[in-house]
């Protein structure tokens, strides 16, 4: 190795410190032309020499209003099936999608239309037209949401997951989308379902309108309390209330959802959605009521049968869960008894311990043990 004297080292340091700073890199970054050299900056309009790498032009900045719209519709027509999924069952897919179209698109518009009449927002012609425009706009938004859900269901045989399992407090946009939809479909939809279905089946008329308004508002209030508890559960607030699915509180909540919530939202809501949406889009008029009333009642009967089959499946699943729990409970009790059993105390009190056996050996080892049948065998 060449020895560097202290004088040469000092001169090298002084030359380095006195050297001018390097030129700034070009706007495209520190690019390399393949020869270890950075290409010089080229002014606009000048052609680069042969063999020189030119930085690609930067992408144009997104337009403030066009970019969110194009990003929202990007890939919305790509219905390519997931490669790990079997071929789609078209009958089951059609049944699910038609139910979602009726309950979540027509139901959203009908929820705005019916709940606005409950709260006296359609008493004037101007208010009636304003609510009609708002209901149509909400229907368009929920149709866009329905399209993406139908696409995801076709690709994966399931809907979007309802909750985020990790860091759910940070998912602000999904939180807003999920619970704004629930507010429209389940809170306003619950009140609107009672209001519209009661008129469709000729229970509500001009003489008892006030009584049905109070009943529909009460149902909407109950579903609003349910929506607030769903928000708390999503944000993991008061986790002790719903952390144990086998508790009486959670069991009661499941049965309430299966019996009451689905009956109001999916049976009464289906009939009310047809009844209200037909009026929003000018299909139901005083001259065509005799056509749309049988249609709404027929849809309600079909969704009643659907609710009965779903309720039967729910009751069967709950019974299976109770049977599994009852089968696991004696095993856990037997393990606790074995763990807390005091052999010396039992022998001192002349207690028979013939039936307490914990055998974890193979059959060949058990036959070769040759011990008395009445003895305590603790073999590992």
């Amino acid at each position: 190795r060449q020895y560097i004297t202290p004088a040469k080292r000092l001169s090298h340091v002084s030359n380095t410190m006195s050297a001018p700073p390097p030129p700034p890199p070009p706007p495209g970054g520190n690019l390399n032309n393949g020869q270890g050299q950075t290409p010089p900056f080229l002014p606009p309009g000048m052609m680069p020499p042969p063999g020189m790498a030119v930085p690609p032009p930067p992408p144009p900045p997104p337009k403030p209003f066009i970019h969110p719209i194009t990003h929202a519709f990007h890939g919305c027509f790509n219905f390519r099936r997931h490669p790990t999924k079997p071929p789609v069952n078209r009958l089951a897919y059609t049944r699910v999608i038609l139910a979602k179209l009726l309950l979540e698109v027509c139901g959203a518009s009908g929820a705005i239309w019916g709940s606005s009449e409950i709260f006296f927002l359609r008493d004037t012609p101007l208010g009636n037209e304003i609510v009609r425009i708002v209901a149509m706009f909400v229907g368009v938004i929920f149709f866009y949401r329905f399209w993406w859900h139908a696409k995801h269901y076709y690709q994966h045989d399931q809907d979007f997951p309802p909750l985020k399992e990790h860091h759910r407090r940070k998912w602000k946009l999904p939180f807003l989308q999920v619970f704004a939809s629930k507010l429209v479909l389940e809170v306003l939809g619950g009140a609107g379902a009672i209001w519209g279905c009661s008129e469709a089946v000729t229970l509500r008329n001009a003489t008892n309108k006030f009584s049905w308004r109070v009943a529909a508002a009460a149902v909407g209030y109950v579903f609003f309390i349910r929506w607030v508890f769903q928000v708390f559960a999503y944000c993991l607030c008061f986790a002790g209330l719903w952390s144990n699915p086998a508790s009486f509180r959670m069991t009661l909540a499941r049965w309430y959802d299966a019996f009451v919530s689905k009956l109001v939202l999916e049976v009464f809501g289906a009939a009310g959605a047809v009844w209200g949406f037909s009026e929003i889009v000018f299909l139901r008029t005083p001259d065509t009521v005799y056509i749309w009333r049988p249609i709404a009642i027929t849809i309600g009967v079909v969704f009643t049968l659907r609710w009965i089959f779903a309720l039967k499946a729910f009751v069967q699943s709950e019974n299976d869960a109770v049977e599994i729990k009852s089968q696991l409970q004696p095993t856990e009790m037997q393990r606790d008894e074995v763990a807390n059993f005091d052999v010396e105390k039992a022998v001192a009190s002349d207690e028979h311990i013939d039936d307490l056996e914990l055998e974890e050996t193979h059959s060949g080892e058990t036959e070769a043990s040759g011990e008395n049948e009445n003895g305590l065998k603790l073999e590992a």
Side-chain angles (χ1 to χ4, degrees):
R1 297 181 180 179
Q2 183 181 3
Y3 177 72
I4 301 178
T5 60
K8 290 183 179 181
R9 186 179 297 109
L10 290 176
S11 62
H12 174 71
V13 171
S14 61
N15 292 336
T16 304
M17 294 179 63
S18 61
N30 189 12
L31 302 177
N32 198 312
N33 60 0
Q35 301 177 359
Q37 300 176 0
T38 301
F41 174 72
L42 296 176
M46 179 178 291
M47 297 298 295
M52 177 180 175
V54 181
K63 298 181 180 181
F65 297 103
I66 303 299
H67 177 69
I69 297 177
T70 56
H71 179 72
F73 286 94
H74 178 70
C76 64
F77 294 102
N78 181 15
F79 276 75
R80 185 181 295 115
R81 182 79 169 171
H82 196 275
T84 60
K85 299 295 182 180
V88 64
N89 187 349
R90 298 187 181 276
L91 181 60
Y93 176 76
T94 304
R95 185 173 64 249
V96 171
I97 293 306
L98 289 180
K100 291 178 72 67
L101 178 64
L102 177 62
L103 295 175
E104 298 183 6
V105 180
C106 302
S109 297
I112 300 297
W113 186 254
S115 60
S116 62
E117 188 175 2
I118 295 172
F119 298 108
F120 304 98
L121 299 178
R122 289 171 47 200
D123 290 346
T124 62
L126 178 61
N128 192 72
E129 295 305 318
I130 292 176
V131 172
R132 189 188 303 275
I133 295 174
V134 173
M136 289 182 177
F137 179 71
V138 170
V140 170
I141 293 177
F142 274 80
F143 181 79
Y144 169 76
R145 173 180 176 270
F146 157 78
W147 183 272
W148 280 100
H149 281 248
K151 173 179 175 294
H152 190 276
Y153 199 96
Y154 183 85
Q155 292 177 330
H156 302 278
D157 281 338
Q158 62 182 6
D159 206 344
F160 286 104
L163 293 177
K164 296 291 182 182
E165 297 294 337
H166 303 288
H167 309 291
R168 63 184 68 189
R169 291 190 180 97
K170 297 182 180 179
W171 295 85
K172 296 182 176 58
L173 187 59
F175 171 82
L176 179 64
Q177 186 268 332
V178 167
F179 286 98
S181 302
K182 284 180 174 291
L183 181 65
V184 173
L185 295 175
E186 299 182 2
V187 180
L188 301 181
I194 300 297
W195 185 257
C197 185
S198 62
E199 186 181 9
V201 297
T202 66
L203 292 178
R204 176 169 61 88
N205 49 45
T207 60
N208 57 4
K209 181 178 289 188
F210 178 76
S211 300
W212 281 104
R213 178 174 277 118
V214 173
V219 170
Y221 177 75
V222 171
F223 276 90
F224 177 75
I225 298 299
R226 174 177 174 268
W227 177 79
V228 170
F229 277 104
Q230 288 177 348
V231 173
F232 285 159
Y234 183 91
C235 298
L236 301 180
C237 301
F238 309 107
L241 295 177
W242 33 72
S243 60
N244 184 14
S247 63
F248 175 76
R249 186 184 303 107
M250 293 302 299
T251 304
L252 183 63
R254 289 195 304 272
W255 283 86
Y256 172 80
D257 281 340
F259 271 94
V260 181
S261 299
K262 287 186 177 295
L263 177 64
V264 174
L265 297 177
E266 297 184 2
V267 178
F268 302 157
V274 174
W275 187 255
F277 188 78
S278 60
E279 186 179 8
I280 294 171
V281 296
F282 302 99
L283 293 177
R284 179 169 63 85
T285 61
D287 298 332
T288 59
V289 169
Y290 73 96
I291 297 176
W292 286 100
R293 177 166 281 123
I295 293 176
I297 294 176
T298 303
I299 294 295
V301 171
V302 171
F303 275 79
T304 301
L305 297 177
R306 177 177 177 266
W307 172 73
I308 291 174
F309 285 116
L311 186 61
K312 180 182 178 182
F314 169 78
V315 173
Q316 183 64 35
S317 65
E318 289 292 317
N319 292 335
D320 294 342
V322 171
E323 291 179 1
I324 294 174
K325 183 179 178 181
S326 62
Q327 291 175 2
L328 294 177
Q329 187 173 2
T331 305
E332 296 175 356
M333 292 177 61
Q334 185 178 3
R335 291 178 180 176
D336 294 339
E337 291 174 358
V338 173
N340 298 327
F341 187 77
D342 192 350
V343 179
E344 297 179 357
K345 184 177 180 180
V347 172
S349 60
D350 292 335
E351 182 178 346
H352 294 285
I353 54 176
D354 299 342
D355 296 333
L356 183 61
E357 297 181 359
L358 181 62
E359 300 181 2
E360 297 185 3
T361 59
H362 298 287
S363 59
E365 297 176 356
T366 306
E367 294 176 358
S369 59
E371 294 189 12
N372 189 5
E373 185 179 357
N374 296 328
L376 176 65
K377 296 184 289 184
L378 298 174
E379 301 173 2

